[in-house]
Coordinates of all heavy atoms in Angstrom, one line a residue:
M1 N -19.0 16.8 42.6 CA -19.8 15.8 42.0 C -19.9 16.0 40.5 O -19.7 15.0 39.7 CB -21.2 15.9 42.6 CG -22.1 14.7 42.3 SD -21.4 13.1 42.8 CE -22.8 12.0 42.4
Q2 N -20.2 17.2 40.1 CA -20.3 17.5 38.7 C -19.1 17.1 37.9 O -19.1 16.4 36.9 CB -20.5 19.0 38.5 CG -20.9 19.4 37.1 CD -22.4 19.3 36.8 OE1 -23.2 19.5 37.8 NE2 -22.8 19.0 35.6
S3 N -17.9 17.4 38.4 CA -16.6 17.1 37.7 C -16.4 15.6 37.6 O -15.8 15.1 36.7 CB -15.5 17.9 38.3 OG -15.3 17.4 39.7
V4 N -16.7 14.9 38.7 CA -16.6 13.5 38.7 C -17.4 12.8 37.6 O -16.9 12.0 36.8 CB -16.9 12.9 40.1 CG1 -17.0 11.3 40.0 CG2 -15.9 13.3 41.1
L5 N -18.6 13.3 37.5 CA -19.5 12.7 36.5 C -19.0 13.0 35.1 O -19.1 12.1 34.2 CB -20.9 13.3 36.6 CG -21.7 12.7 37.8 CD1 -23.0 13.4 37.9 CD2 -21.9 11.2 37.6
R6 N -18.5 14.2 34.9 CA -18.0 14.5 33.6 C -16.8 13.7 33.2 O -16.6 13.5 32.0 CB -17.7 16.0 33.5 CG -18.7 16.8 32.7 CD -18.2 18.2 32.5 NE -18.3 19.0 33.8 CZ -17.5 20.0 34.1 NH1 -16.5 20.3 33.3 NH2 -17.6 20.6 35.2
G7 N -16.0 13.2 34.2 CA -14.9 12.4 33.9 C -15.2 11.0 33.4 O -14.4 10.4 32.7
V8 N -16.4 10.6 33.8 CA -16.7 9.1 33.5 C -16.8 8.8 32.0 O -16.2 7.8 31.6 CB -18.1 8.8 34.2 CG1 -18.6 7.4 33.7 CG2 -17.8 8.7 35.7
P9 N -17.4 9.6 31.2 CA -17.5 9.2 29.7 C -16.1 9.1 29.1 O -15.9 8.2 28.3 CB -18.3 10.4 29.1 CG -19.1 10.9 30.2 CD -18.2 10.8 31.5
F10 N -15.2 10.0 29.5 CA -13.9 9.9 28.9 C -13.2 8.6 29.3 O -12.6 7.9 28.5 CB -13.0 11.1 29.4 CG -11.7 11.1 28.9 CD1 -11.4 11.4 27.5 CD2 -10.6 10.8 29.7 CE1 -10.1 11.3 27.0 CE2 -9.3 10.7 29.2 CZ -9.0 11.0 27.9
A11 N -13.3 8.3 30.6 CA -12.6 7.1 31.1 C -13.2 5.8 30.4 O -12.5 4.9 30.0 CB -12.8 6.9 32.6
A12 N -14.5 5.9 30.2 CA -15.2 4.7 29.5 C -14.7 4.6 28.1 O -14.5 3.5 27.6 CB -16.7 4.9 29.6
A13 N -14.6 5.8 27.4 CA -14.2 5.7 26.0 C -12.8 5.2 25.9 O -12.4 4.4 25.0 CB -14.2 7.2 25.4
V14 N -11.9 5.5 26.8 CA -10.5 5.0 26.8 C -10.5 3.5 27.0 O -9.8 2.8 26.2 CB -9.7 5.7 27.9 CG1 -8.3 4.9 28.0 CG2 -9.4 7.2 27.6
L15 N -11.4 3.0 27.9 CA -11.4 1.6 28.1 C -11.9 0.9 26.9 O -11.4 -0.2 26.5 CB -12.4 1.3 29.3 CG -11.8 1.5 30.7 CD1 -12.8 1.4 31.7 CD2 -10.6 0.6 30.9
L16 N -13.0 1.4 26.2 CA -13.6 0.8 25.1 C -12.6 0.7 23.9 O -12.5 -0.3 23.2 CB -14.8 1.6 24.6 CG -16.1 1.3 25.4 CD1 -17.2 2.3 25.0 CD2 -16.5 -0.1 25.3
L17 N -11.9 1.8 23.7 CA -11.0 1.9 22.5 C -9.7 1.1 22.8 O -9.1 0.6 21.8 CB -10.7 3.3 22.2 CG -11.9 4.1 21.7 CD1 -11.6 5.6 21.7 CD2 -12.3 3.6 20.3
G18 N -9.3 1.0 24.0 CA -8.1 0.3 24.4 C -6.9 0.8 23.6 O -6.7 2.0 23.5
A19 N -6.1 -0.1 23.0 CA -4.8 0.2 22.3 C -5.1 0.6 20.9 O -4.2 1.0 20.2 CB -3.9 -0.9 22.4
T20 N -6.3 0.5 20.4 CA -6.6 0.8 19.0 C -6.4 2.3 18.7 O -7.0 3.1 19.5 CB -8.0 0.4 18.6 OG1 -8.3 -0.8 19.2 CG2 -8.2 0.3 17.2
P21 N -5.7 2.6 17.7 CA -5.5 4.1 17.4 C -6.9 4.7 17.2 O -7.8 4.1 16.6 CB -4.7 4.1 16.1 CG -4.0 2.8 16.1 CD -4.9 1.8 16.8
L22 N -7.1 5.9 17.6 CA -8.4 6.6 17.6 C -8.9 6.7 16.1 O -10.1 6.7 15.9 CB -8.3 8.0 18.2 CG -8.2 8.0 19.7 CD1 -7.9 9.4 20.2 CD2 -9.4 7.5 20.3
R23 N -8.0 6.9 15.2 CA -8.4 7.2 13.8 C -8.6 5.9 13.0 O -8.9 6.1 11.8 CB -7.4 8.1 13.2 CG -6.9 9.3 14.0 CD -6.4 10.3 13.1 NE -7.2 10.4 11.9 CZ -7.2 11.5 11.1 NH1 -6.3 12.4 11.3 NH2 -7.9 11.5 10.0
A24 N -8.2 4.8 13.5 CA -8.2 3.6 12.7 C -9.6 3.4 12.0 O -10.6 3.5 12.6 CB -7.9 2.4 13.5
E25 N -9.6 3.1 10.7 CA -10.8 2.8 10.0 C -10.7 1.5 9.3 O -9.6 1.1 8.9 CB -11.0 3.9 9.0 CG -11.6 5.2 9.5 CD -11.9 6.2 8.4 OE1 -12.8 5.9 7.7 OE2 -11.2 7.2 8.3
A26 N -11.8 0.9 9.0 CA -11.9 -0.3 8.2 C -12.2 0.1 6.8 O -13.2 0.6 6.5 CB -12.9 -1.3 8.8
I27 N -11.3 -0.2 5.9 CA -11.5 0.1 4.5 C -11.6 -1.2 3.7 O -10.9 -2.1 3.9 CB -10.3 1.0 4.0 CG1 -10.3 2.3 4.8 CG2 -10.4 1.2 2.5 CD1 -9.1 2.6 5.5
K28 N -12.5 -1.2 2.7 CA -12.8 -2.4 2.0 C -12.4 -2.2 0.5 O -12.6 -1.1 -0.1 CB -14.3 -2.7 2.0 CG -14.7 -3.1 3.4 CD -16.2 -3.6 3.4 CE -16.7 -3.7 4.8 NZ -15.9 -4.5 5.7
V29 N -11.8 -3.2 -0.1 CA -11.5 -3.3 -1.5 C -12.2 -4.6 -2.0 O -12.0 -5.7 -1.4 CB -10.0 -3.4 -1.8 CG1 -9.7 -3.6 -3.3 CG2 -9.3 -2.1 -1.3
T30 N -12.9 -4.4 -3.1 CA -13.5 -5.6 -3.6 C -12.7 -6.1 -4.8 O -12.1 -5.3 -5.5 CB -15.0 -5.4 -4.1 OG1 -15.0 -4.3 -5.1 CG2 -15.8 -4.9 -2.9
I31 N -12.7 -7.4 -5.0 CA -12.1 -8.0 -6.2 C -13.3 -8.5 -7.1 O -14.0 -9.4 -6.6 CB -11.2 -9.1 -5.9 CG1 -10.1 -8.6 -4.9 CG2 -10.5 -9.7 -7.1 CD1 -9.3 -9.7 -4.3
D32 N -13.4 -7.9 -8.2 CA -14.6 -8.2 -9.1 C -14.1 -8.2 -10.6 O -13.5 -7.2 -11.0 CB -15.7 -7.2 -8.9 CG -17.0 -7.9 -8.6 OD1 -17.2 -9.0 -9.2 OD2 -17.9 -7.2 -7.9
N33 N -14.4 -9.2 -11.3 CA -14.1 -9.2 -12.7 C -12.6 -8.9 -13.0 O -12.3 -8.0 -13.8 CB -15.0 -8.2 -13.5 CG -15.0 -8.5 -15.0 OD1 -14.7 -9.5 -15.4 ND2 -15.4 -7.4 -15.7
F34 N -11.8 -9.6 -12.2 CA -10.3 -9.4 -12.4 C -9.8 -8.0 -12.1 O -8.9 -7.5 -12.8 CB -9.9 -9.9 -13.8 CG -10.0 -11.4 -14.0 CD1 -11.3 -11.9 -14.4 CD2 -9.0 -12.2 -13.8 CE1 -11.4 -13.2 -14.6 CE2 -9.1 -13.6 -14.0 CZ -10.3 -14.1 -14.4
T35 N -10.5 -7.3 -11.2 CA -10.1 -5.9 -11.0 C -10.2 -5.6 -9.5 O -11.2 -6.0 -8.8 CB -11.1 -4.9 -11.7 OG1 -11.1 -5.3 -13.1 CG2 -10.7 -3.5 -11.5
F36 N -9.2 -4.9 -8.9 CA -9.3 -4.4 -7.6 C -10.1 -3.1 -7.6 O -9.8 -2.2 -8.4 CB -7.9 -4.2 -7.0 CG -7.1 -5.4 -6.8 CD1 -6.0 -5.7 -7.6 CD2 -7.4 -6.3 -5.8 CE1 -5.2 -6.8 -7.5 CE2 -6.7 -7.5 -5.7 CZ -5.6 -7.7 -6.5
A37 N -11.1 -2.9 -6.7 CA -11.8 -1.7 -6.7 C -12.1 -1.2 -5.3 O -12.7 -1.9 -4.5 CB -13.2 -1.9 -7.4
P38 N -11.6 0.0 -5.0 CA -10.8 0.9 -5.9 C -9.4 0.4 -6.0 O -8.8 -0.3 -5.1 CB -10.8 2.2 -5.1 CG -10.9 1.8 -3.7 CD -11.8 0.6 -3.6
A39 N -8.8 0.6 -7.2 CA -7.5 0.1 -7.5 C -6.4 1.0 -6.7 O -5.3 0.5 -6.5 CB -7.2 0.2 -9.0
E40 N -6.8 2.2 -6.4 CA -5.9 3.1 -5.7 C -6.7 3.7 -4.6 O -7.8 4.2 -4.8 CB -5.4 4.2 -6.6 CG -4.5 5.2 -5.9 CD -3.9 6.2 -6.9 OE1 -3.7 5.9 -8.1 OE2 -3.7 7.4 -6.4
L41 N -6.1 3.7 -3.4 CA -6.7 4.3 -2.3 C -5.7 4.8 -1.3 O -4.6 4.4 -1.3 CB -7.8 3.5 -1.6 CG -7.3 2.4 -0.6 CD1 -8.5 1.9 0.2 CD2 -6.8 1.2 -1.4
T42 N -6.1 5.9 -0.6 CA -5.2 6.5 0.4 C -5.8 6.3 1.8 O -7.0 6.5 2.0 CB -5.1 8.0 0.1 OG1 -4.6 8.2 -1.2 CG2 -4.2 8.7 1.1
V43 N -4.9 5.8 2.7 CA -5.4 5.5 4.1 C -4.4 6.2 5.0 O -3.4 6.7 4.6 CB -5.5 4.0 4.3 CG1 -6.4 3.3 3.3 CG2 -4.1 3.3 4.3
K44 N -4.7 6.1 6.3 CA -3.8 6.6 7.4 C -3.1 5.4 8.0 O -3.6 4.3 8.0 CB -4.7 7.3 8.4 CG -5.5 8.5 7.9 CD -4.7 9.8 7.9 CE -5.6 11.0 7.7 NZ -6.0 11.1 6.3
V45 N -1.9 5.8 8.6 CA -1.2 4.7 9.4 C -2.2 4.2 10.5 O -2.8 5.0 11.1 CB 0.1 5.4 10.0 CG1 0.7 4.4 11.0 CG2 1.1 5.7 8.9
G46 N -2.2 2.9 10.6 CA -3.1 2.3 11.6 C -4.4 1.8 11.0 O -5.1 1.0 11.6
D47 N -4.7 2.2 9.7 CA -5.9 1.7 9.1 C -5.7 0.2 8.6 O -4.6 -0.2 8.3 CB -6.3 2.6 7.9 CG -6.9 3.9 8.3 OD1 -7.3 4.0 9.5 OD2 -7.0 4.8 7.4
T48 N -6.8 -0.5 8.6 CA -6.9 -1.8 8.1 C -7.6 -1.9 6.8 O -8.7 -1.4 6.7 CB -7.5 -2.8 9.1 OG1 -6.7 -2.7 10.3 CG2 -7.6 -4.2 8.6
V49 N -7.1 -2.5 5.8 CA -7.7 -2.7 4.5 C -8.1 -4.2 4.4 O -7.3 -5.1 4.7 CB -6.8 -2.3 3.4 CG1 -7.5 -2.5 2.0 CG2 -6.5 -0.8 3.5
T50 N -9.3 -4.4 4.0 CA -9.8 -5.8 3.8 C -10.2 -6.0 2.3 O -11.0 -5.2 1.8 CB -11.0 -6.1 4.7 OG1 -10.6 -5.9 6.1 CG2 -11.5 -7.5 4.5
W51 N -9.6 -7.0 1.7 CA -9.9 -7.3 0.3 C -10.9 -8.5 0.3 O -10.6 -9.5 1.1 CB -8.7 -7.7 -0.4 CG -7.7 -6.6 -0.8 CD1 -7.6 -5.9 -1.9 CD2 -6.7 -6.0 0.1 NE1 -6.6 -5.0 -1.9 CE2 -6.0 -5.0 -0.6 CE3 -6.3 -6.3 1.4 CZ2 -5.0 -4.3 -0.1 CZ3 -5.2 -5.6 1.9 CH2 -4.6 -4.6 1.2
T52 N -11.9 -8.4 -0.5 CA -12.9 -9.6 -0.5 C -13.0 -10.0 -2.0 O -13.3 -9.1 -2.9 CB -14.2 -9.2 0.1 OG1 -14.0 -8.8 1.4 CG2 -15.2 -10.4 0.0
N53 N -12.9 -11.2 -2.3 CA -13.0 -11.7 -3.6 C -14.4 -12.1 -4.0 O -15.1 -12.9 -3.4 CB -12.1 -13.0 -3.8 CG -12.2 -13.5 -5.2 OD1 -12.6 -12.8 -6.1 ND2 -11.7 -14.8 -5.3
H54 N -15.0 -11.4 -5.0 CA -16.3 -11.6 -5.5 C -16.4 -12.4 -6.8 O -17.4 -12.6 -7.4 CB -17.1 -10.3 -5.6 CG -17.3 -9.6 -4.3 ND1 -18.0 -10.3 -3.2 CD2 -17.0 -8.4 -3.8 CE1 -18.1 -9.4 -2.2 NE2 -17.5 -8.3 -2.5
D55 N -15.2 -12.8 -7.3 CA -15.1 -13.6 -8.5 C -15.3 -15.0 -8.2 O -15.2 -15.5 -7.0 CB -13.8 -13.4 -9.2 CG -13.8 -12.2 -10.1 OD1 -14.9 -11.7 -10.5 OD2 -12.7 -11.7 -10.5
D56 N -15.6 -15.8 -9.2 CA -15.8 -17.3 -9.0 C -14.5 -18.0 -9.1 O -14.5 -19.3 -9.0 CB -16.8 -17.8 -10.1 CG -18.2 -17.3 -9.9 OD1 -18.5 -16.9 -8.7 OD2 -18.9 -17.1 -10.9
I57 N -13.4 -17.3 -9.3 CA -12.1 -18.0 -9.3 C -11.2 -17.4 -8.3 O -11.5 -16.2 -7.9 CB -11.5 -17.9 -10.7 CG1 -11.4 -16.4 -11.1 CG2 -12.3 -18.6 -11.8 CD1 -10.2 -16.2 -12.1
P58 N -10.2 -18.1 -7.9 CA -9.3 -17.6 -6.8 C -8.4 -16.4 -7.2 O -8.1 -16.3 -8.4 CB -8.4 -18.8 -6.4 CG -9.1 -19.9 -7.0 CD -9.8 -19.5 -8.2
H59 N -8.2 -15.5 -6.3 CA -7.2 -14.4 -6.5 C -6.4 -14.3 -5.2 O -6.8 -14.8 -4.2 CB -7.9 -13.1 -6.7 CG -8.7 -13.0 -8.0 ND1 -8.2 -13.0 -9.2 CD2 -10.1 -12.9 -8.2 CE1 -9.1 -12.9 -10.1 NE2 -10.3 -12.9 -9.5
T60 N -5.3 -13.6 -5.4 CA -4.4 -13.3 -4.2 C -4.2 -11.8 -4.1 O -4.4 -11.1 -5.1 CB -3.1 -14.1 -4.3 OG1 -2.3 -13.5 -5.3 CG2 -3.2 -15.6 -4.4
V61 N -3.7 -11.4 -3.0 CA -3.3 -10.0 -2.8 C -1.9 -10.0 -2.3 O -1.6 -10.5 -1.1 CB -4.2 -9.3 -1.7 CG1 -3.9 -7.8 -1.6 CG2 -5.7 -9.5 -2.2
V62 N -0.9 -9.6 -3.1 CA 0.5 -9.7 -2.8 C 1.2 -8.4 -2.9 O 1.1 -7.8 -4.0 CB 1.2 -10.8 -3.7 CG1 2.7 -10.8 -3.3 CG2 0.5 -12.1 -3.5
S63 N 1.9 -7.9 -1.9 CA 2.7 -6.7 -2.0 C 4.1 -7.2 -1.6 O 4.4 -7.6 -0.5 CB 2.3 -5.6 -1.1 OG 3.0 -4.5 -1.2
A64 N 5.0 -7.2 -2.6 CA 6.4 -7.8 -2.4 C 7.0 -7.3 -1.1 O 7.2 -6.1 -0.9 CB 7.3 -7.5 -3.6
G65 N 7.4 -8.3 -0.2 CA 8.1 -8.0 1.0 C 7.2 -7.4 2.1 O 7.7 -7.1 3.2
K66 N 5.9 -7.1 1.8 CA 5.0 -6.5 2.7 C 3.9 -7.4 3.3 O 3.8 -7.6 4.4 CB 4.4 -5.2 2.1 CG 5.4 -4.2 1.7 CD 6.1 -3.6 2.8 CE 6.8 -2.2 2.5 NZ 8.0 -2.4 1.7
F67 N 3.1 -7.9 2.3 CA 2.1 -8.8 2.7 C 1.7 -9.8 1.6 O 2.0 -9.5 0.4 CB 0.8 -8.1 3.2 CG 0.3 -7.1 2.3 CD1 -0.5 -7.5 1.2 CD2 0.5 -5.7 2.4 CE1 -1.1 -6.5 0.3 CE2 0.0 -4.8 1.6 CZ -0.8 -5.2 0.5
R68 N 1.1 -10.9 1.9 CA 0.8 -11.9 0.9 C -0.4 -12.7 1.4 O -0.3 -13.3 2.5 CB 2.0 -12.8 0.7 CG 1.8 -14.0 -0.1 CD 3.0 -14.9 -0.3 NE 4.0 -14.2 -1.1 CZ 4.1 -14.3 -2.4 NH1 3.3 -15.2 -3.1 NH2 5.0 -13.7 -3.1
S69 N -1.5 -12.7 0.7 CA -2.6 -13.5 1.2 C -2.5 -14.9 0.6 O -1.7 -15.1 -0.3 CB -3.9 -12.9 0.6 OG -4.1 -13.1 -0.8
K70 N -3.3 -15.8 1.2 CA -3.4 -17.1 0.5 C -4.3 -16.9 -0.7 O -4.9 -15.8 -0.9 CB -4.0 -18.1 1.5 CG -5.4 -17.8 2.0 CD -5.9 -18.9 2.9 CE -7.3 -18.6 3.4 NZ -8.3 -18.6 2.4
A71 N -4.5 -17.9 -1.5 CA -5.5 -17.8 -2.6 C -6.9 -17.7 -2.0 O -7.3 -18.5 -1.1 CB -5.4 -19.1 -3.4
L72 N -7.5 -16.6 -2.4 CA -8.9 -16.3 -1.8 C -9.9 -16.9 -2.7 O -10.0 -16.5 -3.9 CB -9.1 -14.8 -1.7 CG -8.0 -14.0 -0.9 CD1 -8.3 -12.5 -1.0 CD2 -8.1 -14.4 0.6
D73 N -10.7 -17.8 -2.2 CA -11.8 -18.3 -3.0 C -13.0 -17.3 -3.0 O -12.9 -16.3 -2.3 CB -12.3 -19.7 -2.4 CG -11.3 -20.8 -2.6 OD1 -10.7 -20.8 -3.7 OD2 -11.1 -21.6 -1.7
S74 N -14.1 -17.6 -3.6 CA -15.2 -16.7 -3.7 C -15.6 -16.3 -2.3 O -15.8 -17.2 -1.4 CB -16.4 -17.3 -4.4 OG -16.0 -17.6 -5.7
D75 N -15.8 -15.0 -2.0 CA -16.2 -14.4 -0.8 C -15.2 -14.5 0.3 O -15.5 -14.2 1.5 CB -17.6 -15.0 -0.3 CG -18.7 -14.7 -1.4 OD1 -18.6 -13.6 -2.0 OD2 -19.5 -15.6 -1.6
D76 N -14.0 -15.0 0.1 CA -13.0 -15.0 1.1 C -12.4 -13.6 1.2 O -12.4 -12.8 0.2 CB -11.8 -16.0 0.7 CG -12.1 -17.4 1.1 OD1 -13.2 -17.6 1.8 OD2 -11.3 -18.3 0.8
S77 N -11.9 -13.3 2.4 CA -11.3 -12.0 2.6 C -9.9 -12.1 3.2 O -9.5 -13.1 3.8 CB -12.1 -11.2 3.6 OG -13.4 -10.9 3.1
F78 N -9.1 -11.0 3.0 CA -7.8 -10.9 3.5 C -7.7 -9.5 4.0 O -8.1 -8.5 3.4 CB -6.7 -11.1 2.4 CG -5.3 -10.7 2.8 CD1 -4.6 -11.5 3.7 CD2 -4.8 -9.6 2.3 CE1 -3.3 -11.1 4.1 CE2 -3.5 -9.2 2.7 CZ -2.7 -10.0 3.6
S79 N -7.1 -9.3 5.3 CA -7.0 -8.0 5.9 C -5.5 -7.7 6.2 O -4.8 -8.7 6.5 CB -7.8 -7.9 7.2 OG -9.2 -8.0 6.9
F80 N -5.1 -6.5 6.1 CA -3.8 -6.1 6.4 C -3.9 -4.7 7.1 O -4.6 -3.8 6.6 CB -2.9 -6.0 5.2 CG -1.4 -5.7 5.6 CD1 -0.6 -6.7 6.1 CD2 -0.9 -4.4 5.4 CE1 0.7 -6.4 6.4 CE2 0.4 -4.1 5.7 CZ 1.2 -5.1 6.2
T81 N -3.2 -4.5 8.2 CA -3.1 -3.3 8.9 C -1.8 -2.6 8.6 O -0.8 -3.1 8.8 CB -3.3 -3.5 10.4 OG1 -4.5 -4.1 10.7 CG2 -3.2 -2.1 11.2
F82 N -1.9 -1.3 8.1 CA -0.7 -0.6 7.6 C -0.2 0.2 8.8 O -0.8 1.1 9.4 CB -1.1 0.3 6.5 CG -1.5 -0.4 5.2 CD1 -2.8 -0.9 5.0 CD2 -0.5 -0.8 4.3 CE1 -3.1 -1.6 3.9 CE2 -0.8 -1.5 3.2 CZ -2.1 -1.9 3.0
T83 N 1.1 -0.1 9.2 CA 1.7 0.5 10.4 C 2.8 1.4 10.0 O 3.4 2.0 10.9 CB 2.2 -0.6 11.4 OG1 3.1 -1.4 10.6 CG2 1.1 -1.5 11.9
A84 N 3.0 1.6 8.7 CA 4.1 2.5 8.3 C 3.6 3.2 7.0 O 2.9 2.6 6.2 CB 5.4 1.8 8.1
S85 N 4.0 4.5 6.9 CA 3.6 5.2 5.7 C 4.3 4.8 4.5 O 5.4 4.1 4.6 CB 3.8 6.7 5.9 OG 5.1 7.0 6.2
G86 N 3.8 5.1 3.3 CA 4.5 4.7 2.1 C 3.4 4.2 1.0 O 2.3 4.2 1.3
D87 N 3.9 4.0 -0.2 CA 3.1 3.4 -1.2 C 3.3 1.9 -1.3 O 4.4 1.5 -1.5 CB 3.4 4.1 -2.6 CG 3.0 5.5 -2.7 OD1 2.4 6.0 -1.7 OD2 3.3 6.2 -3.7
Y88 N 2.2 1.2 -1.1 CA 2.2 -0.2 -1.2 C 1.6 -0.7 -2.5 O 0.3 -0.8 -2.6 CB 1.5 -0.8 0.0 CG 2.1 -0.5 1.4 CD1 2.0 0.8 1.9 CD2 2.7 -1.5 2.1 CE1 2.6 1.1 3.1 CE2 3.3 -1.2 3.3 CZ 3.3 0.1 3.8 OH 3.8 0.4 5.0
K89 N 2.4 -1.0 -3.5 CA 1.9 -1.5 -4.7 C 1.7 -3.0 -4.5 O 2.4 -3.7 -3.8 CB 2.9 -1.3 -5.8 CG 3.0 0.1 -6.2 CD 4.1 0.3 -7.3 CE 4.2 1.8 -7.7 NZ 5.3 2.0 -8.6
Y90 N 0.5 -3.5 -5.0 CA 0.2 -4.9 -4.8 C -0.4 -5.5 -6.1 O -0.8 -4.7 -7.0 CB -0.7 -5.2 -3.6 CG -2.1 -4.6 -3.8 CD1 -3.1 -5.3 -4.3 CD2 -2.4 -3.3 -3.3 CE1 -4.4 -4.8 -4.4 CE2 -3.6 -2.8 -3.4 CZ -4.6 -3.5 -4.0 OH -5.9 -3.0 -4.1
F91 N -0.4 -6.8 -6.2 CA -1.0 -7.4 -7.4 C -1.5 -8.8 -7.0 O -1.4 -9.3 -5.9 CB 0.1 -7.6 -8.5 CG 1.2 -8.5 -8.2 CD1 1.3 -9.7 -8.8 CD2 2.2 -8.2 -7.2 CE1 2.4 -10.6 -8.5 CE2 3.2 -9.1 -6.9 CZ 3.3 -10.3 -7.6
C92 N -2.2 -9.5 -8.0 CA -2.6 -10.8 -7.8 C -1.6 -11.7 -8.4 O -1.3 -11.6 -9.6 CB -4.0 -11.0 -8.5 SG -4.5 -12.8 -8.6
S93 N -1.0 -12.6 -7.6 CA 0.1 -13.5 -8.1 C -0.4 -14.5 -9.1 O 0.4 -15.1 -9.9 CB 0.8 -14.2 -6.9 OG -0.1 -15.0 -6.3
L94 N -1.7 -14.7 -9.2 CA -2.3 -15.6 -10.2 C -2.6 -14.9 -11.5 O -2.6 -15.6 -12.6 CB -3.6 -16.3 -9.6 CG -3.4 -17.0 -8.3 CD1 -4.8 -17.4 -7.8 CD2 -2.5 -18.2 -8.5
H95 N -2.8 -13.6 -11.4 CA -3.1 -12.8 -12.6 C -2.4 -11.5 -12.4 O -2.9 -10.5 -12.0 CB -4.6 -12.5 -12.7 CG -5.5 -13.8 -12.5 ND1 -6.1 -14.0 -11.3 CD2 -5.8 -14.8 -13.3 CE1 -6.7 -15.2 -11.3 NE2 -6.6 -15.7 -12.6
P96 N -1.0 -11.5 -12.8 CA -0.2 -10.3 -12.4 C -0.6 -9.0 -13.1 O -0.2 -8.0 -12.7 CB 1.2 -10.8 -12.9 CG 1.1 -12.3 -12.9 CD -0.3 -12.6 -13.3
H97 N -1.5 -9.1 -14.1 CA -2.0 -7.8 -14.7 C -3.0 -7.1 -13.7 O -3.3 -6.0 -13.9 CB -2.6 -8.1 -16.0 CG -3.9 -8.9 -16.0 ND1 -3.8 -10.3 -15.9 CD2 -5.2 -8.6 -15.9 CE1 -5.1 -10.8 -15.8 NE2 -5.9 -9.8 -15.8
M98 N -3.4 -7.8 -12.7 CA -4.3 -7.2 -11.7 C -3.4 -6.5 -10.7 O -2.7 -7.1 -9.9 CB -5.1 -8.3 -10.9 CG -6.1 -9.0 -11.8 SD -6.9 -10.4 -10.8 CE -7.6 -9.5 -9.5
T99 N -3.5 -5.2 -10.7 CA -2.7 -4.4 -9.7 C -3.5 -3.4 -9.0 O -4.6 -3.0 -9.4 CB -1.5 -3.7 -10.5 OG1 -2.1 -2.8 -11.5 CG2 -0.6 -4.7 -11.3
G100 N -2.9 -2.9 -7.9 CA -3.5 -1.8 -7.1 C -2.4 -1.2 -6.3 O -1.3 -1.7 -6.2
V101 N -2.8 -0.1 -5.6 CA -1.8 0.5 -4.7 C -2.6 1.1 -3.5 O -3.7 1.6 -3.7 CB -1.0 1.6 -5.4 CG1 -1.9 2.7 -6.0 CG2 0.1 2.2 -4.5
V102 N -2.0 0.9 -2.4 CA -2.5 1.6 -1.1 C -1.5 2.6 -0.7 O -0.3 2.3 -0.5 CB -2.7 0.6 0.0 CG1 -3.2 1.3 1.3 CG2 -3.8 -0.5 -0.4
K103 N -1.9 3.9 -0.7 CA -1.0 4.9 -0.2 C -1.3 5.2 1.2 O -2.4 5.6 1.6 CB -1.2 6.2 -1.1 CG -0.9 5.9 -2.6 CD -1.0 7.2 -3.4 CE -0.5 6.9 -4.8 NZ -0.4 8.0 -5.7
V104 N -0.3 5.0 2.0 CA -0.5 5.2 3.5 C 0.2 6.5 3.9 O 1.4 6.7 3.7 CB 0.1 4.0 4.2 CG1 -0.1 4.1 5.8 CG2 -0.5 2.7 3.7
E105 N -0.5 7.4 4.5 CA 0.1 8.7 4.9 C -0.2 8.9 6.4 O -0.9 8.2 7.1 CB -0.5 9.8 4.1 CG -2.0 9.9 4.2 CD -2.6 11.0 3.2 OE1 -1.9 11.3 2.2 OE2 -3.7 11.5 3.5
Ligands
CU1 CU1 -6.3 -13.0 -9.7

């Protein structure tokens, strides 16, 4: 009886988490005053990064060949889940001097 009860929480946890990697985290980058903050961050494979535009003008989040958001209006967000390691340099296609990098390990 004891061992059956102890098995229940583990089974429930597996069901709740489903196919989501155990370590996946939601990481946020804000866009404010023509700046990505933080401009550089390190995440794990499986993590999702969400960019949110807090400026009054549109911005985009573009990493050549990797991901490309639509123009984000004020308070719009864009999310990308990183499934492979590497350095993902990105920029705003409307203001190319706005740059950032996500390092996935
Ligand atoms: Cu921009």
Side-chain angles (χ1 to χ4, degrees):
M1 190 58 174
Q2 190 87 28
S3 61
V4 170
L5 284 176
R6 255 188 285 146
V8 168
F10 178 73
V14 169
L15 283 174
L16 281 172
L17 293 168
T20 316
L22 287 172
R23 314 199 43 164
E25 283 187 65
I27 295 124
K28 296 184 190 310
V29 174
T30 61
I31 306 172
D32 229 332
N33 196 23
F34 292 83
T35 305
F36 295 109
E40 178 179 329
L41 75 165
T42 302
V43 304
K44 300 271 192 288
V45 170
D47 285 346
T48 298
V49 177
T50 299
W51 290 261
T52 302
N53 181 17
H54 293 304
D55 274 342
D56 291 334
I57 56 154
H59 294 293
T60 66
V61 184
V62 178
S63 184
K66 300 292 198 290
F67 54 80
R68 172 180 290 268
S69 77
K70 67 180 177 67
L72 303 174
D73 289 324
S74 298
D75 297 325
D76 276 357
S77 292
F78 168 75
S79 295
F80 184 79
T81 301
F82 292 88
T83 56
S85 60
D87 289 356
Y88 294 72
K89 293 179 180 172
Y90 66 89
F91 68 108
C92 169
S93 61
L94 303 173
H95 315 99
H97 64 278
M98 294 173 58
T99 60
V101 62
V102 178
K103 298 184 173 185
V104 183
E105 56 184 26

